[in-house]
């Protein structure tokens, strides 16, 4: 495992430990359970796992409120279980990165308990205190459904402390060199135990400066460059992935000059994929890809459709947000803060063609795809569970008790399994889907396999959009050395056709990448293709070996 660019070729998969598999029947998923399910992930074709926070925590924000950075929440297992998991994952050639919650901690953390004990406490300056809640007025509130200010009053010392998220999550003071050093020690600790890197949480907010919006400040970038340098020196081959939910130019800044984050989630692209679908127009995708293309060598976007949070709409304009709410959040409960708390399948009304089209997009646009656990089987959600818990329900393994997730009585589960008739776990589960060739799970295995057939082309190739007057169809060519893939997506719900100018590829033959179905050779005339509703094609463009008249013979399907 010494390919340092492994993250550019990988398929990632996001996992909350508590939701994956319960090995000891207490109703909560754990490390041993996850270890037992590595075979499943290997078989699916996953190369890297992103683990959500598994550290000690009172779970006010599902683990993003850490009370001890050096230990594991006992319900999830022990350090031994963790090491065991990492070793087995590595033996499968699966890399593991974990959340690094760097901006804030839990108010139950000893650091904060010390700090609030008196204004002369040694830890006092590890946090940001003020006599009034008036500083940093331009910093927006993020959890707008719960918090009305970024300041919370601490009665004992009669001062306010700053928090960007829940009030139980005091922000650390990065102007204090001890804090900067301590966080590096946390990083060292977990990398020493075998992690391959981190998904750094809430990166834009580390440093705060009066008169700014306290996001993306130069000091914050500087600190991440320091961390990167330390990781490159002490733990070569490990990576940093940025959660920076910002406008395109600001998000791109996290790659630095190739000396900051190796990867960043493509937050600008994600909502615009859904907007493109809602508008039946390729324009939102083309515009945003063009704005996010030019990044330093060896850096890459991580592209996703959904994750454990609400589908965030903070960085879109009002008109786009309205379109999103209208199309995807018809019931008010579906919204949370400035976003939509739903899983992929329910978002698109469980429409199989749309689910396939969306995945075909993230597997063929430039970047590294990441899947959210359960979306590969088309899991449903439960918008009535509060906060973002509705998209964090137990993984559905079989039609046994509790979807095969745990042997406890149902009421002991950390959250109920999905029983909504349209998404009932009795049908939507790994075991059932493996038994039927047309299932979503088998289709996902197929697309992962096809992507792997073209790792370099789709992982590293360039992209060029093909102009065509039919805005319903998104058309692009990926190119890498002498390989080329023509990708077409009908974003609308009706059949349509396009005529493409493919004169640059004259003489080549499109071969559909999933089935190897051959299409007529590209000639002088515009290339004419019809597309079913929400249909897509990936055509590998090859130098023809056979006579076109043979095209109707041979393999029929996959
Ligand atoms: C990130 C996490 C989210 C968490 C927040 C505060 O946005 O993805 O789940 O609530 O940070 O830590
Ligand atoms: Ca357990």
């Amino acid at each position: 495992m010494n390919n340092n660019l492994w993250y550019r070729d990988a398929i990632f998969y996001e996992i909350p430990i508590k939701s994956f598999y319960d090995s000891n029947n207490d109703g909560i998923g754990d490390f041993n359970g996850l270890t037992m399910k590595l075979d499943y992930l290997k078989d699916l074709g996953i190369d890297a796992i992103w683990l959500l926070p598994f550290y000690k925590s009172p779970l006010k924000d599902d683990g993003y409120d850490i009370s001890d950075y050096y230990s594991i929440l006992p319900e999830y297992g022990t350090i031994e279980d963790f090491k065991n998991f990492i070793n087995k994952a590595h033996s499968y050639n699966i890399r593991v990165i974990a959340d690094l919650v760097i901006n804030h901690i839990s108010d139950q953390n000893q650091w904060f308990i010390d700090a609030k004990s008196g204004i002369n406490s040694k830890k006092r300056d590890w946090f940001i205190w003020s006599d009034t809640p008036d500083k940093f007025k331009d910093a927006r509130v993020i959890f707008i459904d719960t918090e009305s200010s970024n300041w919370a009053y601490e009665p004992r010392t009669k001062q306010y402390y700053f928090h960007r998220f829940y009030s139980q999550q005091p922000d650390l003071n990065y102007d204090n060199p001890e804090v900067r050093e301590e966080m590096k020690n946390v990083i060292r600790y977990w990398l020493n135990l075998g992690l391959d890197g981190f998904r750094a949480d809430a990166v834009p907010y580390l440093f705060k400066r009066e008169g700014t919006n306290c996001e993306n400040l130069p000091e914050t970038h500087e600190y991440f460059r320091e961390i990167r340098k330390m990781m490159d020196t002490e733990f070569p081959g490990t990576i940093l992935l940025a959660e920076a939910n910002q406008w395109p130019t600001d998000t791109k800044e996290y790659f630095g000059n190739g000396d900051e984050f190796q990867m960043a989630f493509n937050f600008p692209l994600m909502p615009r994929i859904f907007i493109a679908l809602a508008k039946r127009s390729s324009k939102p995708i083309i515009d945003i890809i063009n704005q996010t293309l030019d990044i330093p060598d060896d850096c890459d976007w991580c592209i996703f459709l959904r994750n454990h949070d609400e589908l965030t709409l903070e960085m879109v304009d009002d008109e786009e947000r309205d379109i999103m709410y209208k199309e995807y959040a018809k019931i008010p409960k579906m919204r949370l803060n400035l976003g939509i708390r739903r899983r992929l399948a329910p978002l698109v009304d469980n429409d199989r063609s749309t689910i396939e089209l969306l995945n075909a997009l993230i597997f063929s646009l430039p970047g590294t795809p990441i899947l959210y656990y359960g979306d590969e089987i088309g899991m449903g959600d439960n918008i009535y569970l509060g906060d973002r818990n509705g998209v964090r329900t137990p993984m559905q393994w079989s039609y046994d008790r509790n979807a095969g997730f745990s042997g406890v009585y149902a009421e002991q589960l950390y959250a109920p399994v999905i029983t909504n008739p349209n998404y009932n776990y009795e049908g939507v589960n790994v075991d059932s889907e493996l038994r039927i060739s047309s299932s979503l799970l088998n289709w996902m295995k197929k697309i992962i396999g096809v992507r792997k057939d073209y790792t370099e082309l789709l992982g590293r190739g360039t992209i060029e959009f093909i102009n065509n007057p039919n805005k319903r169809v998104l058309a692009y060519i990926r190119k890498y050395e002498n390989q080329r893939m023509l990708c077409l997506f009908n974003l609308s719900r009706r059949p349509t056709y396009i005529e493409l100018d493919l004169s640059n590829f004259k003489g080549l033959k499109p071969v559909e990448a999933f089935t190897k179905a051959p299409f007529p050779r590209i000639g002088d005339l515009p290339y004419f293709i019809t597309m079913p509703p929400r249909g897509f094609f990936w055509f590998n463009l090859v130098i023809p070996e056979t006579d076109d008249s043979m095209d109707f013979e041979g393999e029929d399907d996959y």
Side-chain angles (χ1 to χ4, degrees):
M1 303 231 288
N2 51 15
N3 168 15
N4 280 0
L5 296 183
W6 59 269
Y7 52 90
R8 300 202 59 191
D9 303 326
I11 312 286
F12 275 69
Y13 189 91
E14 176 189 354
I15 305 182
I17 305 281
K18 71 162 187 198
S19 309
F20 212 54
Y21 187 64
D22 175 16
S23 72
N24 63 347
N25 290 331
D26 62 356
I28 304 168
D30 43 59
F31 271 108
N32 288 339
L34 180 53
T35 308
M36 290 161 76
K37 294 299 184 184
L38 276 168
D39 289 302
Y40 167 72
L41 295 173
K42 186 73 203 162
D43 183 50
L44 182 58
I46 297 308
D47 307 293
I49 293 171
W50 157 29
L51 294 179
L52 267 58
F54 50 78
Y55 317 96
K56 225 177 203 168
S57 163
L59 304 182
K60 288 277 188 279
D61 184 8
D62 215 357
Y64 284 94
D65 47 326
I66 300 178
S67 56
D68 179 0
Y69 277 83
Y70 297 98
S71 59
I72 292 178
L73 188 72
E75 286 84 342
Y76 297 166
T78 63
I79 292 273
E80 278 316 304
D81 300 341
F82 171 81
K83 286 198 215 158
N84 211 1
F85 160 68
I86 298 278
N87 286 338
K88 187 159 174 203
H90 285 170
S91 77
Y92 279 35
N93 252 327
I94 294 178
R95 292 196 168 67
V96 184
I97 67 169
D99 246 292
L100 177 71
V101 188
I102 189 162
N103 177 69
H104 46 266
I105 66 171
S106 158
D107 61 357
Q108 311 292 305
N109 191 306
Q110 197 57 44
W111 303 343
F112 189 70
I113 295 175
D114 288 353
K116 70 174 189 181
S117 68
I119 52 166
N120 294 322
S121 153
K122 278 201 194 131
K123 290 279 189 302
R124 187 72 179 176
D125 186 51
W126 279 38
F127 301 88
I128 300 158
W129 300 95
S130 168
D131 291 331
T132 69
D134 303 326
K135 279 170 80 178
F136 307 132
K137 274 259 184 274
D138 299 330
R140 68 193 162 110
V141 171
I142 293 172
F143 285 166
I144 51 168
D145 287 358
T146 334
E147 303 293 339
S148 52
S149 157
N150 286 323
W151 293 96
Y153 189 62
E154 202 292 303
R156 185 146 158 190
T157 53
K158 301 195 171 57
Q159 279 195 318
Y160 294 82
Y161 61 88
F162 189 82
H163 62 89
R164 212 56 211 269
F165 293 89
Y166 287 127
S167 59
Q168 294 94 341
Q169 292 167 297
D171 276 31
L172 287 162
N173 174 16
Y174 275 89
D175 278 316
N176 184 322
E178 286 172 15
V179 168
R180 298 201 296 272
E181 205 40 48
E182 183 64 26
M183 216 30 93
K184 285 190 193 161
N185 288 333
V186 168
I187 292 172
R188 290 188 177 101
Y189 180 80
W190 292 102
L191 293 180
N192 269 320
L193 288 172
L195 279 183
D196 299 292
F198 293 100
R199 173 263 192 191
D201 179 66
V203 301
Y205 318 112
L206 261 50
F207 282 83
K208 287 91 178 155
R209 292 288 177 261
E210 202 55 76
T212 73
N213 66 355
C214 301
E215 301 186 16
N216 315 313
L217 299 183
E219 294 86 341
T220 299
H221 286 286
E222 180 57 39
Y223 180 57
F224 280 111
R225 278 199 293 272
E226 260 181 47
I227 293 184
R228 168 71 183 274
K229 207 170 186 176
M230 179 272 273
M231 285 173 62
D232 279 354
T233 319
E234 299 175 30
F235 305 92
T238 60
I239 63 151
L240 280 173
L241 160 61
E243 187 217 17
N245 181 10
Q246 297 288 326
W247 295 99
T249 10
D250 295 325
T251 311
K252 261 164 69 173
E253 290 287 303
Y254 287 92
F255 295 119
N257 295 314
D259 55 356
E260 216 174 309
F261 286 84
Q262 284 94 338
M263 301 188 99
F265 287 114
N266 202 331
F267 274 102
L269 171 66
M270 184 276 297
R272 289 173 183 91
I273 290 180
F274 291 96
I275 292 167
L277 266 192
K279 289 178 129 175
R280 289 90 166 110
S281 161
S282 57
K283 196 170 177 301
I285 297 177
I286 297 175
D287 286 351
I288 208 74
I289 292 288
N290 282 333
Q291 289 177 59
T292 51
L293 266 188
D294 160 38
I295 57 174
D297 289 348
D298 298 347
C299 290
D300 224 333
W301 293 106
C302 193
I303 348 184
F304 63 107
L305 294 167
R306 291 295 299 113
N307 63 21
H308 64 291
D309 288 325
E310 70 274 26
L311 191 172
T312 152
L313 299 172
E314 288 168 306
M315 302 293 160
V316 300
D317 64 34
D318 292 347
E319 188 210 329
E320 292 171 322
R321 197 175 302 116
D322 286 348
I323 292 173
M324 288 295 289
Y325 284 147
K326 215 169 136 206
E327 180 87 10
Y328 302 106
K330 299 196 172 81
I331 302 175
K333 271 261 181 222
M334 291 172 177
R335 302 185 191 178
L336 179 73
N337 299 319
L338 279 186
I340 301 175
R341 49 171 157 195
R342 304 183 73 194
R343 267 190 182 271
L344 182 62
L347 263 177
V348 297
D349 277 342
N350 214 7
D351 180 59
R352 176 69 180 268
S353 317
T354 307
I355 295 174
E356 291 183 4
L357 176 124
L358 289 170
N359 277 293
L361 270 171
I362 67 157
F363 278 85
S364 65
L365 282 168
T368 295
I370 180 161
L371 303 176
Y372 183 49
Y373 91 98
D375 280 350
E376 76 277 22
I377 56 171
M379 256 171 76
D381 55 30
N382 181 349
I383 53 172
Y384 301 98
L385 287 182
D387 202 339
R388 291 146 290 176
N389 298 321
V391 301
R392 303 175 182 178
T393 61
M395 176 67 179
Q396 295 165 195
W397 295 104
S398 69
Y399 78 138
D400 295 337
R401 160 160 55 157
N402 304 321
F405 163 79
S406 170
V408 291
Y409 285 152
E411 58 267 36
Q412 253 179 288
L413 291 175
Y414 76 86
V417 298
I418 301 293
T419 50
N420 173 296
N422 287 313
Y423 302 93
N424 198 314
Y425 74 86
E426 292 193 355
V428 180
N429 67 64
V430 171
D431 180 68
S432 312
E433 293 192 29
L434 285 177
R435 288 167 195 264
I436 176 167
S437 65
S438 65
S439 67
L440 179 62
L441 179 56
N442 278 321
W443 185 86
M444 290 299 296
K445 284 170 71 170
K446 180 74 189 173
I447 192 172
I448 291 171
V450 177
R451 160 88 186 199
K452 286 183 187 222
D453 290 342
Y454 301 99
T455 296
E456 286 172 319
L457 172 59
L458 296 177
R460 315 245 175 136
T462 56
I463 185 169
E464 221 174 275
F465 293 102
I466 307 177
N467 252 328
N468 82 85
N470 183 350
K471 291 291 165 251
R472 294 186 182 90
V473 178
L474 172 67
Y476 51 83
I477 295 258
R478 302 290 316 268
K479 269 193 216 159
Y480 184 81
E481 295 178 349
N482 57 0
Q483 307 176 54
R484 313 147 204 90
M485 180 88 77
L486 167 65
C487 304
L488 303 171
F489 304 85
N490 177 3
L491 302 168
S492 78
R493 288 190 197 278
R494 58 188 226 190
T496 191
Y497 62 91
I498 37 162
E499 287 180 284
L500 294 174
D501 175 5
L502 297 179
S503 46
N504 287 341
F505 307 99
K506 190 177 157 187
L508 297 179
K509 194 174 173 60
V511 175
E512 200 278 329
F514 282 61
T515 57
K516 307 276 188 275
F519 272 61
R521 196 185 291 227
I522 300 165
D524 289 316
L525 295 177
Y527 205 82
F528 182 91
I529 301 175
T530 53
M531 303 199 64
R534 293 278 157 95
F536 81 93
F537 289 122
W538 290 1
F539 286 117
N540 190 19
L541 301 185
V542 301
I543 299 168
E545 283 169 11
T546 53
D547 178 349
D548 288 356
S549 62
M550 307 288 284
D551 284 358
F552 294 101
E553 292 175 12
E555 277 299 303
D556 215 29
D557 214 346
Y558 63 82

